[in-house]
Amino acid sequence: MRLRTSLVAVGLAAAIALTGCAGGGSSSDPEAGAALTIAKPDGAIAAESNNPWIGDSSALKLGYANTIFEPLAFVNVIADAPVTPWLASEIEWADDYRSVTVTAREGVTWNDGEPFTADDIKFTFELLRDNPAIEPAALGITDVTVDGDAVTINFENSVFVKQDKVLEKFIVPEHIWKDVEDPSDETNPEPVGTGPYTLTSWTSQSVQLDQRDDYWGGELAVPTLYFVSYNDNTALTTALANGDADWAQGFIPNIDDAYLSKDEHNQYWAPAGLGVDALWFNTETKPFDDKALRQALNLIVDRDQHREVAREGNVPALTSVTGLPTPAGDPFIIDEFQGQEYTVDVEGAKAILEEAGYTWDADEKLIDPDGTPVTFTIQVPQGWSDYVTGITLIAEDVKQIGIDATVDTPDVDTWWANKGTGEFQAILHWTDTGLTPWDIYSNVMDGARYLPIGEQSEQYNFGRFNDPEITAALAEYANAADEATRDAALASIQTSFIDEAVALPIGTRPFIGEFNTRNYVGWPSDDDPYAVPEPTRPQMLLVLTRLQAAE
């Protein structure tokens, strides 16, 4: 029986007590069959939604969707490792990457007892094709065919740069979702998946999942999972340090003293990938509809200070003007920008502004060509301490050219809605990551992802930038049949990214994971980078299948 209650009135303490007694604590002796508590710093989750595709659903925000639903395969984006087949036992790509044929794994059942078949794969990809609102990767699915256990998925263009996005789509049961009128609005109160865990209780601050006894992959070491949302990073850090929380992806200030030194079992791993944190501008409204202002700010933001203060030196430096992290991005930096690094250049920024018709008043405040003082607001969620510190630093940076910036920290749900509909001037937000730089550049500049302000976007391009030539270059890179064509497209894209300054890469965004080895071992590491360590990504399930009881 599912338990649904609200902890809004009860408070966070009750949620902590619920999880802490289930398997947390800092005892040095491993506990057989202990629960695992996975945590986030997002505060109370307003409403339950187990939709596996909409980014603001509780299942995706907290990460428990990854234990109920399963993908065709897992793709390792941090190591040169093969794809791990999952619901697909075999995967074969066409030479031009315009189709892929997968074989449905035998012996798999949904958690309601129904058999999983190739028809479920076909149905899922047709559902994604027919409902763009739940398909943020814009895969361009055309038709899907079934031949026995083999499913062939065809695409309008090459999905060379989106192989991971294709293979890591969650598969849903046709017998459940065929009667759903609008999958983008479905809350899915009784989620049916092929994964090893089922949802047994849900509250606004703690969610429980228990292992099913008929999982096709066999018995896992962890019998019960708790997903808890703490009020902020400080509360999350305390929970991780004292053992009330076991696994998280979150920024921890002063991590050595606050977390690692508290227990020899506490671990931190942050492998690099092709993703960044960026200052995103709404390019359809003042003041960021002017490229000159965006270019000037690109010369004002102090990335070194951001890394040392906001991230406390715990992430790699971001140096290349292309926005690509080192070393993952090094092979993709074109010759023109080799060795060019970010620097703070106040005089250079002022020169750009003067040439564009900006002036300064008697108080040294920046005035735009229309005679209006330049001001703007930057938003990030309250409680995200590294992001709050980050935008506070940026607000100080821009004072050097006479801009007053306001720091706004709404609750996470408000912020999420605002960035999706374009109701903001500037936000600090991450980019996606993948196998190539296409993800960073497409996230920021791709007109194929463009939606008018007011329409909810799950497809990035939150700044509503739309240049047909850049969009065409991004498509050419993605669809190129040879390396020479792809290289030419990348040169155009990279040059435009720097020139347009639609979003400013502020820092690297490694895959951060905090976890402990008190009760379970087998976590990914530098020595065995089989998956990213973040519990909000599909690879979370791969990690759970690899964990073993500590001895």
Side-chain angles (χ1 to χ4, degrees):
M1 178 183 293
R2 284 283 309 285
L3 171 65
R4 290 190 187 85
T5 61
S6 173
L7 285 185
V8 173
V10 178
L12 181 61
I16 295 174
L18 170 67
T19 59
C21 68
S26 56
S27 171
S28 59
D29 295 327
E31 179 184 341
L36 200 68
T37 298
I38 300 97
K40 289 199 72 179
D42 293 350
I45 303 300
E48 178 182 4
S49 172
N50 303 311
N51 191 305
W53 297 301
I54 300 303
D56 66 349
S57 72
S58 59
L60 288 178
K61 278 185 178 179
L62 291 176
Y64 63 85
N66 302 311
T67 71
I68 299 172
F69 305 100
E70 296 185 302
L72 296 173
F74 297 109
V75 181
N76 195 327
V77 296
I78 58 172
D80 185 12
V83 169
T84 302
W86 211 250
L87 288 184
S89 58
E90 297 180 19
I91 302 162
E92 183 176 355
W93 287 97
D95 290 341
D96 61 3
Y97 289 92
R98 292 186 62 178
S99 69
V100 62
T101 299
V102 299
T103 302
R105 185 175 296 277
E106 296 181 355
V108 176
T109 60
W110 299 99
N111 61 28
D112 63 358
E114 293 292 320
F116 160 79
T117 71
D119 288 331
D120 292 310
I121 299 175
K122 178 178 186 291
F123 171 81
T124 297
F125 279 89
E126 289 179 337
L127 191 70
L128 295 168
R129 177 196 63 192
D130 298 338
N131 295 273
I134 64 171
E135 209 282 271
L139 297 176
I141 302 163
T142 55
D143 61 285
V144 188
T145 60
V146 173
D147 183 7
D149 289 335
V151 184
T152 299
I153 308 160
N154 296 281
F155 307 93
E156 292 177 7
N157 299 296
S158 167
V159 290
F160 171 79
V161 298
K162 301 180 181 181
Q163 297 171 58
D164 54 327
K165 309 300 188 296
V166 173
L167 297 179
E168 291 189 345
K169 288 292 185 188
F170 289 132
I171 306 302
V172 298
E174 180 181 12
H175 66 279
I176 299 293
W177 285 83
K178 64 183 176 62
D179 297 323
V180 173
E181 184 174 345
D182 181 0
S184 68
D185 194 44
E186 172 61 35
T187 60
N188 195 24
E190 300 289 345
V192 175
T194 57
Y197 295 90
T198 57
L199 184 59
T200 49
S201 77
W202 193 100
T203 75
S204 63
Q205 288 175 309
S206 180
V207 180
Q208 178 179 340
L209 293 98
D210 290 299
Q211 188 177 165
R212 38 186 295 208
D213 58 10
D214 59 346
Y215 177 54
W216 65 269
E219 184 178 0
L220 276 62
V222 183
T224 298
L225 304 173
Y226 290 102
F227 290 78
V228 176
S229 184
Y230 291 89
N231 283 337
D232 51 33
N233 278 338
T234 300
L236 174 61
T237 299
T238 300
L240 285 166
N242 65 26
D244 285 332
D246 300 304
W247 190 7
Q249 176 263 319
F251 173 72
I252 297 182
N254 193 17
I255 190 169
D256 287 331
D257 290 338
Y259 171 62
L260 293 175
S261 66
K262 300 299 183 184
D263 192 310
E264 64 180 355
H265 295 291
N266 291 346
Q267 305 291 316
Y268 172 81
W269 189 48
L274 282 173
V276 296
D277 284 326
L279 178 64
W280 296 65
F281 301 128
N282 188 329
T283 65
E284 291 200 332
T285 62
K286 293 186 70 172
F288 299 120
D289 55 351
D290 185 0
K291 178 170 69 173
L293 180 62
R294 304 194 303 262
Q295 291 175 328
L297 292 189
N298 203 19
L299 297 177
I300 292 299
V301 174
D302 189 336
R303 275 101 175 164
D304 288 337
Q305 185 184 48
H306 179 87
R307 175 177 179 268
E308 292 302 321
V309 177
R311 305 306 297 273
E312 297 190 350
N314 289 325
V315 298
L318 182 68
T319 57
S320 172
V321 297
T322 63
L324 300 183
T326 295
D330 291 348
F332 301 101
I333 298 173
I334 66 173
D335 291 344
E336 180 181 352
F337 302 121
Q338 287 287 341
Q340 292 193 33
E341 298 187 350
Y342 287 121
T343 58
V344 175
D345 184 359
V346 176
E347 294 307 313
K350 288 182 176 179
I352 290 172
L353 293 170
E354 287 175 351
E355 185 176 350
Y358 287 78
T359 57
W360 287 263
D361 66 13
D363 296 323
E364 294 299 315
K365 300 301 182 183
L366 184 64
I367 308 299
D368 72 17
D370 296 330
T372 304
V374 178
T375 63
F376 64 89
T377 298
I378 321 177
Q379 288 185 349
V380 299
Q382 60 187 359
W384 292 14
S385 57
D386 54 334
Y387 267 31
V388 173
T389 301
I391 64 172
T392 302
L393 292 173
I394 292 169
E396 288 296 315
D397 289 339
V398 301
K399 288 180 179 179
Q400 298 174 89
I401 54 173
I403 298 176
D404 289 327
T406 300
V407 170
D408 183 27
T409 57
D411 64 83
V412 67
D413 291 328
T414 299
W415 177 80
W416 197 280
N418 287 346
K419 61 104 174 176
T421 57
E423 303 294 333
F424 67 88
Q425 290 181 296
I427 57 172
L428 194 60
H429 192 282
W430 55 91
T431 67
D432 205 346
T433 189
L435 302 172
T436 72
W438 185 90
D439 293 270
I440 291 178
Y441 297 146
S442 175
N443 285 176
V444 171
M445 302 188 298
D446 201 338
R449 300 174 183 264
Y450 174 84
L451 288 174
I453 288 179
E455 293 189 23
Q456 181 69 33
S457 173
E458 294 289 341
Q459 300 187 23
Y460 286 92
N461 195 359
F462 305 121
R464 268 63 182 180
F465 183 77
N466 193 6
D467 182 310
E469 291 187 7
I470 297 175
T471 299
L474 285 162
E476 187 169 12
Y477 181 86
N479 300 323
D482 57 80
E483 287 299 320
T485 303
R486 190 171 291 117
D487 289 346
L490 178 61
S492 175
I493 295 165
Q494 212 163 87
T495 301
S496 297
F497 180 80
I498 294 171
D499 179 60
E500 291 290 347
V502 177
L504 310 183
I506 302 299
T508 56
R509 186 173 178 82
F511 298 97
I512 294 176
E514 295 97 8
F515 46 86
N516 66 66
T517 57
R518 191 172 302 110
N519 296 316
Y520 297 102
V521 296
W523 300 92
S525 64
D526 280 329
D527 293 333
D528 189 12
Y530 65 85
V532 300
E534 293 184 355
T536 56
R537 294 179 177 269
Q539 294 93 335
M540 173 195 191
L541 177 57
L542 189 57
V543 175
L544 288 169
T545 65
R546 294 281 293 268
L547 294 183
Q548 299 176 356
E551 297 181 356

